[in-house]
């Protein structure tokens, strides 16, 4: 059983103005079932309230509350969107008991529906098992609209998430699942750490021709080289699915995640690389995963996630 919950007005509060100066004043709360009645919508937030995949992967549960925590921080931020832009909260898909698989199926259907309406989806997790669901939703859209399009996946993450789902899908299996379904697996993982992936995972990455950038070169003084590698990946695909796992950031910036570590990367470098992705004009959809409010400090991680969303919606050409 899967539970869908309509957008919650309690997630959207902050300073009040008469000119929509803040995003809680700009956002429109629209159930996912009503998006077909709308015209010219730029962005929609869709929550994935599920941490069953994290539990199966032996991580710290609590990410089920991630979507609402991000929305609460985002609503307080300034609104610089044009007046004619529509920015929606379309609610959450939630996991009931342990039904991860059907939750993923429901999210996939909703992602396809948003893309069919030419709305840019921003999915908020929840565990990184969101990635397989999101991918299925994108493929559902591409199958009918752009069947020959070559999809590229860019993942900011400390982990490959290439574990074999022999005992069922988890937050550690999504890209292995995708690889087995894609004729051409175009996967770039940025921020990989050797202290977060065993040697079998590195071997799996080599077998699948995964392109990856290790965390130790994630430095601003290597920015031009990083942009060159990123550009080379982007040029060989037609559209991009972007996924950001918050546990890739150092716990100095993101303590509230399922697998925190001080050895991660910094936000400024990610913003620089996001600019290159946005400028490509190929970004089709994105998500942010693994926010765990139970372990957050002063909403620091939720604010980081919200700032990433804020950056994308204000910097991306639509």
């Amino acid at each position: 059983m899967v539970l869908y919950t309509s957008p919650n007005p309690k997630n959207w509060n902050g300073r009040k103005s008469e000119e929509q100066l803040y995003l809680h004043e700009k956002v429109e709360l629209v159930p996912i079932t009503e998006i077909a009645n709308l015209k010219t919508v730029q962005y929609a937030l869709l929550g994935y309230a599920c941490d069953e995949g994290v539990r199966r992967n032996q991580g710290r549960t609590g990410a089920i509350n991630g979507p609402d925590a991000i929305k609460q921080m985002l609503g307080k931020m300034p609104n610089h969107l044009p007046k004619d832009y529509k920015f929606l909260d379309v609610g959450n898909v939630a996991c009931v008991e342990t039904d991860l698989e059907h939750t993923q199926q429901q999210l996939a259907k909703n992602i396809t529906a948003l893309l069919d309406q030419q709305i840019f989806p921003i999915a908020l997790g929840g565990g990184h098992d969101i990635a397989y669901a999101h991918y299925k939703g994108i493929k559902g859209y591409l199958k009918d609209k752009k069947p020959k399009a070559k999809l590229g996946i860019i993942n900011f993450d400390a982990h490959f998430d290439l574990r074999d789902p022999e005992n069922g899908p988890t937050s550690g299996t999504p890209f292995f699942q995708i690889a087995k379904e894609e004729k051409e697996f175009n996967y770039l993982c940025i921020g990989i750490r050797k202290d977060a992936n065993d040697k079998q995972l590195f071997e799996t990455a080599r077998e699948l021709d995964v392109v990856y950038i290790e965390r130790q070169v994630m430095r601003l003084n290597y920015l031009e080289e990083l942009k060159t590698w990123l550009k080379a990946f982007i040029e060989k695909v037609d559209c991009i699915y972007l996924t950001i796992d918050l546990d890739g950031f150092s716990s100095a910036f993101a303590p509230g995640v399922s697998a925190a570590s001080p050895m991660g990367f910094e936000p400024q470098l990610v913003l620089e690389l996001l600019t290159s992705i946005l400028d490509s004009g190929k970004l089709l959809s994105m998500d942010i995963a693994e926010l765990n409010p139970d372990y957050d400090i002063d909403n620091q991680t939720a604010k980081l996630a919200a700032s990433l969303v804020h950056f994308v919606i204000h910097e991306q050409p639509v």
Side-chain angles (χ1 to χ4, degrees):
M1 178 180 177
V2 178
L3 176 67
Y4 167 78
T5 58
S6 294
N8 186 351
K10 293 182 179 179
N11 287 330
W12 298 97
N13 293 291
R15 291 178 181 268
K16 291 181 170 52
S17 73
E18 300 298 325
E19 301 176 358
Q20 293 190 345
L21 295 180
Y22 302 95
L23 284 173
H24 74 89
E25 299 173 311
K26 176 71 172 176
V27 69
E28 297 182 34
L29 278 55
V30 179
I32 191 73
T33 53
E34 297 180 13
I35 60 169
N37 301 323
L38 302 178
K39 295 181 179 179
T40 319
V41 177
Q42 278 70 34
Y43 301 106
L45 302 176
L46 174 62
Y48 178 75
C50 179
D51 59 9
E52 170 61 16
V54 174
R55 186 194 67 78
R56 295 182 188 183
N57 200 33
Q58 302 177 40
R60 305 190 298 185
T61 57
I64 191 171
N65 297 313
D68 286 352
I70 297 172
K71 293 175 185 179
Q72 289 161 15
M73 294 301 105
L74 185 61
K76 295 175 171 59
M77 293 182 173
N79 166 41
H80 300 283
L81 294 171
K83 287 186 178 180
D84 60 341
Y85 273 32
K86 285 187 176 290
F87 171 61
L88 309 181
D89 176 0
V90 295
N92 294 342
V93 174
C95 185
V96 178
E97 297 180 350
T98 61
D99 199 350
L100 170 62
E101 290 81 357
H102 283 97
T103 308
Q104 290 178 313
Q105 291 174 17
Q106 185 62 51
L107 187 87
K109 290 178 182 177
N110 290 346
I111 292 291
T112 301
L114 290 169
L115 290 170
D116 282 342
Q117 292 295 115
Q118 302 302 302
I119 300 172
F120 183 86
I122 303 175
L124 306 174
H128 212 174
D129 37 285
I130 191 176
Y132 180 67
H134 201 149
Y135 158 79
K136 294 293 285 185
I138 292 171
K139 294 300 287 188
Y141 164 74
L142 292 177
K143 177 183 65 176
D144 295 328
K145 300 296 192 298
K146 300 178 181 179
K148 296 183 179 180
K150 188 182 298 185
L151 178 65
I153 301 169
I154 300 176
N155 178 25
F156 287 88
D157 201 342
H159 306 92
F160 285 118
D161 289 340
L162 288 170
R163 297 187 182 279
D164 189 331
E166 55 185 346
N167 296 316
T170 74
S171 61
T173 66
F175 302 107
F176 187 92
Q177 294 173 265
I178 294 170
K180 295 305 178 183
E181 296 187 18
E182 279 287 279
K183 293 180 179 179
E184 184 176 341
F185 184 47
N186 296 294
Y187 177 39
L188 169 61
C189 197
I190 303 174
I192 286 295
R193 300 201 328 260
K194 286 186 177 177
D195 66 345
N197 298 272
D198 62 45
K199 60 183 180 181
Q200 289 183 338
L201 289 169
F202 276 93
E203 181 59 33
T204 299
R206 284 190 287 271
E207 291 173 356
L208 295 173
D209 291 325
V210 173
V211 182
Y212 63 91
I213 297 172
E214 292 191 47
R215 195 277 309 162
Q216 59 263 35
V217 297
M218 294 281 287
R219 303 176 187 174
L220 284 171
N221 56 315
Y222 292 154
L223 180 58
E224 292 309 312
E225 290 88 342
L226 290 167
K227 285 187 174 181
T228 298
W229 296 334
L230 181 58
K231 181 181 178 182
F233 179 84
I234 291 173
E235 286 180 344
K236 69 178 184 178
V237 300
D238 300 312
C239 52
I240 296 167
Y241 157 43
L242 170 67
T243 180
I244 302 174
D245 189 326
L246 294 167
D247 72 21
F249 291 93
S250 167
S251 54
F253 306 101
V257 294
S258 301
S261 171
M263 300 302 292
F265 42 70
E266 299 181 3
Q268 184 56 43
L269 183 58
V270 172
L271 293 180
E272 294 286 351
L273 297 178
L274 278 180
T275 298
S276 295
I277 296 170
L278 296 174
D279 288 346
S280 74
K282 294 183 178 181
L283 184 58
L284 185 64
S285 191
M286 72 168 286
D287 60 48
I288 297 177
E290 299 285 347
L291 171 63
N292 188 330
D294 291 351
Y295 296 93
D296 211 357
I297 299 171
D298 194 27
N299 296 311
Q300 185 173 338
T301 317
K303 290 175 183 175
L304 171 60
S307 291
L308 293 169
V309 174
H310 189 275
F311 182 82
V312 169
I313 65 175
H314 286 93
E315 299 299 325
Q316 175 172 286
V318 176

